[in-house]
Each structure stands twice: as structure tokens, then as C-alpha cells.
Amino acid sequence: MDWRYTLSVPTLDETDTAAVAECLASGWLSMGPRTQEFETRFAAMSGARHALAVTNGTAALHLAYLALGLDAFKGDEIIQPAINFVAAANMTKAIGLVPVFADIVSSTEPTIDPDDVARRITPRTRAVVAMHFGGYPARMKALLDICERHGIPLIEDACHAPLTRNHAAGGRSLGTLGAVGCFSFFSNKNMTTGEGGMVVTDDDGVAARLRNLRSHGMTTLSWDRHQGRPSTYDVVAHGMNYRMDDLRSALGITQLARLEDNNRARQHLALRYRDRIAARCGRRVRFVFAKSADLGAAHLAAIVVPEAVRDALRLALSERRIQTSLHYPPVHLFSAFAGEATEPLPISEAFARSMITLPMYASLTDAAVDEIVDEIAQAMEHLCDQGARVVA
Ligand SMILES: *Cc1c(COP(=O)(O)O)cnc(C)c1O
């Protein structure tokens, strides 16, 4: 498809190319010094005590569950949002637990609702997952209070929110507020290593288990042995191979160096979208998180429109070569989750039927945002003229 504006574009430049080429030329490609440097920098910038680079965000979530020992509680429950990428729920199933989906706060604040979490807690609840939708903070204080009261860990799916200061948490970064935070560097995220991820924690014991489980449950790494450290090892747990490699860590280091600037560029674009939409589209189009004081990582530009015109508006935009998407089809409605005992999630389902995600990336221009909003305004006018009956 010959898009005028795609949904996302990775920001790559010659420093990225040079860093990867240098790693190739060094002859050490698997986990080694570059991964160590990437982890040290990520930990320092996010304020986490420990950061471990992993193969992807899904591996980060899987390791988080395992390092917290959740897999010991087969058949028990992890409360999480249904408005999320499927990874957190898939990994819940992978360790033999049951995802219990809680509703979101509202269509313009589509993060997990702490009151609904509290309602769904049972003696079998072993953890809660919060996801910072679009890079905007979930209601962490209330969620942390609930988890503390019940003595269970809060895991942050912070894949949309790397290096995002949270004012409500005294400026601490999203992903470092719960027991473990998980990040993804897939190519459509705010920074990318192609595939990749990071898992962070302040807990030394959890960090040790994460490190061990990331590498087969082995007590040493090839890199340690290469450096002349112990040449034998023991296997102390049934671990995975979720190691990041140095080629991708080289890219991670250069991407990370630009992340704060890129996040600021995204915040600027989010504000522009918000203001232009308010000025041009009337009340039929609402910008998600328009009221949020915390701009977050602005990973997504999401709008909510009347359900009856949502698909027609997407089609109209695609005819104008503007790519859009849906974040997300609710997890509990996927076939693989049919049969999970799930109570209705009216707010999540209504949100999923009325939301659209618009192009958002650091190199998008102000003029492009204006153009996209103008197209939305025109299409909405047309759709609403065509059938006033369509829009109540
Ligand atoms: C991308 C993403 C994941 C999965 O990360 P991968 O690196 O693709 O495995 C999980 N949760 C959210 C919210 C994501 O956006």
C-alpha cells in the first residue's frame, strides 16, 4: 500500500548503522559488553536498580511472572486489562494461570480501573498487571495500594512507556513503580532494536532470578567464560534462552540516546492532535487522554468516535492513504480466550468498537498532523451529512 502517512516509522539514522557495523566488526555478536552497557544506561535513565535486556517484550513479561514465582500457583488468577496487546494474557496461560480481565476507567482513559480490580480480587489472585496505554500512566497509586493490601505484586506492562516520568509518582519512571516493569523494543515502539525488550526491578532477589531464568537457569554466561571467569556451570532452574544479543544492544544504545528527545517530539504532536481535533472536529471526535496532565510517552495517538461511523471513517482515511489501526481488539474476545470465565467488560468493549489509532512517530510533522485532522474533519462531516441517522 502506498501510504501518505503510515501508523509508525522507526527513527533510524547513521549513528545506528555505525553502531551495528562496529559490533559486527568486533566479532562478538551475542550477549556481551554492548548488552551490559545498554542495560546500565537503561537502568540509570529510568531510575531502576536492575535492568536486563531480553529478546522481546513478551519474554520480559514471561520472565517477570516466573521470577515472581507465579508459576507455582497453577489455576490461580492474574488480574489484567483486556485492552492490551495479547502478550500479558498469553504468558499468563503459558505459566498455567488464568487471566481475569478487569475493565478500563473510561473511553478517554483506557487503562485498568482500580475499583474494578478491587472488585475482582479473590483468594486466588496472585498478581495484577497494569498497562500504560499509549504511554499514558495507569492509576498507579490506587493499584499499588490494592496490591499492597492483598500482599500481591503489581507488574507493569510498560511497553508503550519507556523513560516516562510520572508526575503522580514524584517524577519516577513508569515501569519502576511496581515489582517488575516490562518494555518492548519492537519496531513500532518509541525506541527499537527490531525485536527486543527490557525487564526492570529494584528487588535484588527478583533480579537474580530474572538473570538466571533468562539464560537456561545456568550459573554463568558464555561472555563470563570468554573473559576467563569460571569455565563450568550448574543449571539451577528450568530457564529459557531470552538473551538479547550485542548487535541489537548496539542499536539499543544509540536508540536510547535519542529516546527522550523523541518522546518530547511525540508529546508535542499529541498536544497538536488534541488541540486541532478540538478546534476542527467538534464533540464527535475525542482525543484519548485529552484531559491527562501527564503526557507520558505519547506512544499512540488514539481517538474515539461514534461507533456507527468508526469503520467508515477508517475506510475514508485509508482511501486518503492515511493508515490507521485499532489498539486493541479486547483480549477476552479472541478465540483462544473463549471459554475463559470472564464477566462482561462494557467499557472495554465500547472503547474497542469506537477507537481508532492515528499515525504517530517522532518524525511526523506538525503540517502532517494538521492535514490528518483536516481529513478526519472532512470525512466526519461527509459521513454525518450522509446519514444524520447514523450519528445520534
Ligand atoms: C509490543 C507490546 C508487547 C509485546 O512486546 P513484543 O516485544 O512484541 O514481544 C506487550 N505489551 C504491549 C502493551 C505492547 O505494546
Side-chain angles (χ1 to χ4, degrees):
M1 191 60 193
D2 179 25
W3 298 112
R4 194 150 43 115
Y5 299 113
T6 55
L7 203 61
S8 81
V9 177
T11 2
L12 295 165
D13 69 18
E14 60 286 355
T15 62
D16 298 313
T17 315
V20 176
E22 206 181 287
C23 178
L24 258 180
S26 80
W28 189 274
L29 308 187
S30 56
M31 176 172 275
R34 286 173 177 81
T35 302
Q36 249 166 29
E37 183 183 340
F38 181 32
E39 292 175 343
T40 305
R41 286 180 187 222
F42 195 91
M45 289 175 82
S46 61
R49 197 169 151 81
H50 304 279
L52 288 104
V54 293
T55 42
N56 55 60
T58 307
L61 287 159
H62 192 194
L63 284 180
Y65 295 169
L66 294 176
L68 292 167
L70 301 179
D71 55 319
F73 305 109
K74 301 279 184 254
D76 284 357
E77 300 163 354
I78 301 179
I79 299 181
Q80 53 195 285
I83 298 297
N84 192 0
F85 183 63
V86 71
N90 269 347
M91 291 305 101
T92 301
K93 296 297 288 181
I95 62 161
L97 274 73
V98 177
V100 169
F101 298 107
D103 219 340
I104 52 175
V105 175
S106 71
S107 270
T108 49
E109 188 180 345
T111 50
I112 196 166
D113 177 7
D115 293 335
D116 202 42
V117 170
R119 273 194 290 278
R120 289 173 204 249
I121 293 226
T122 73
R124 298 161 76 96
T125 308
R126 296 296 176 179
V128 174
V129 177
M131 197 275 274
H132 304 298
F133 182 97
Y136 298 86
R139 296 190 173 188
M140 290 302 288
K141 186 172 179 328
L143 292 167
L144 285 165
D145 283 350
I146 292 166
C147 287
E148 196 174 329
R149 226 179 304 133
H150 293 273
I152 54 175
L154 179 65
I155 296 150
E156 291 176 83
D157 182 338
C159 290
H160 293 182
L163 296 193
T164 308
R165 310 258 169 247
N166 183 214
H167 301 308
R172 285 164 63 207
S173 292
L174 297 181
T176 69
L177 309 176
V180 182
C182 301
F183 297 90
S184 165
F185 308 131
F186 186 64
S187 54
N188 63 6
K189 301 291 157 68
N190 286 28
M191 64 165 275
T192 186
T193 58
E195 298 271 4
M198 191 73 79
V199 56
V200 304
T201 184
D202 285 343
D203 184 305
D204 297 344
V206 171
R209 286 195 292 282
L210 288 169
R211 187 178 303 281
N212 179 253
L213 290 164
R214 174 177 66 174
S215 192
H216 307 285
M218 287 164 63
T219 49
T220 66
L221 288 172
S222 314
W223 175 242
D224 298 325
R225 295 192 292 280
H226 181 70
Q227 290 183 307
R229 305 223 181 96
S231 61
T232 61
Y233 59 84
D234 190 15
V235 172
V236 296
H238 304 298
M240 317 288 150
N241 177 0
Y242 282 162
R243 291 185 307 258
M244 176 71 109
D245 59 78
D246 263 25
L247 278 171
R248 287 186 285 161
S249 292
L251 180 54
I253 292 166
T254 48
Q255 287 275 307
L256 184 60
R258 296 201 301 275
L259 179 58
E260 280 178 325
D261 284 346
N262 284 344
N263 282 353
R264 263 192 295 276
R266 286 170 174 271
Q267 290 173 357
H268 167 82
L269 293 165
L271 285 177
R272 188 152 188 119
Y273 262 125
R274 185 190 73 180
D275 295 345
R276 295 291 291 191
I277 285 168
R280 293 280 284 113
C281 301
R283 277 176 306 144
R284 287 200 200 92
V285 181
R286 285 174 302 152
F287 193 66
V288 172
F289 291 106
K291 292 206 189 90
S292 178
D294 235 333
L295 275 172
H299 172 59
L300 300 175
I303 54 171
V304 173
V305 299
E307 263 177 59
V309 297
R310 196 273 302 270
D311 292 341
L313 176 59
R314 283 196 75 199
L315 187 64
L317 291 173
S318 124
E319 279 163 0
R320 291 163 174 78
R321 296 169 35 238
I322 296 168
Q323 188 185 21
T324 64
S325 184
L326 306 177
H327 288 78
Y328 290 94
V331 176
H332 66 294
L333 301 182
F334 286 129
S335 321
F337 291 86
E340 299 286 332
T342 293
E343 297 189 31
L345 300 164
I347 308 172
S348 299
E349 288 170 23
F351 173 70
R353 287 191 303 263
S354 55
M355 73 88 56
I356 300 178
T357 6
L358 305 173
M360 171 58 99
Y361 43 88
S363 59
L364 192 69
T365 61
D366 287 359
V369 169
D370 297 353
E371 200 179 319
I372 292 165
V373 174
D374 285 347
E375 296 286 17
I376 293 170
Q378 272 174 34
M380 284 298 286
E381 231 163 77
H382 181 70
L383 287 168
C384 296
D385 282 353
Q386 221 178 29
R389 68 198 143 75
V390 180
V391 181

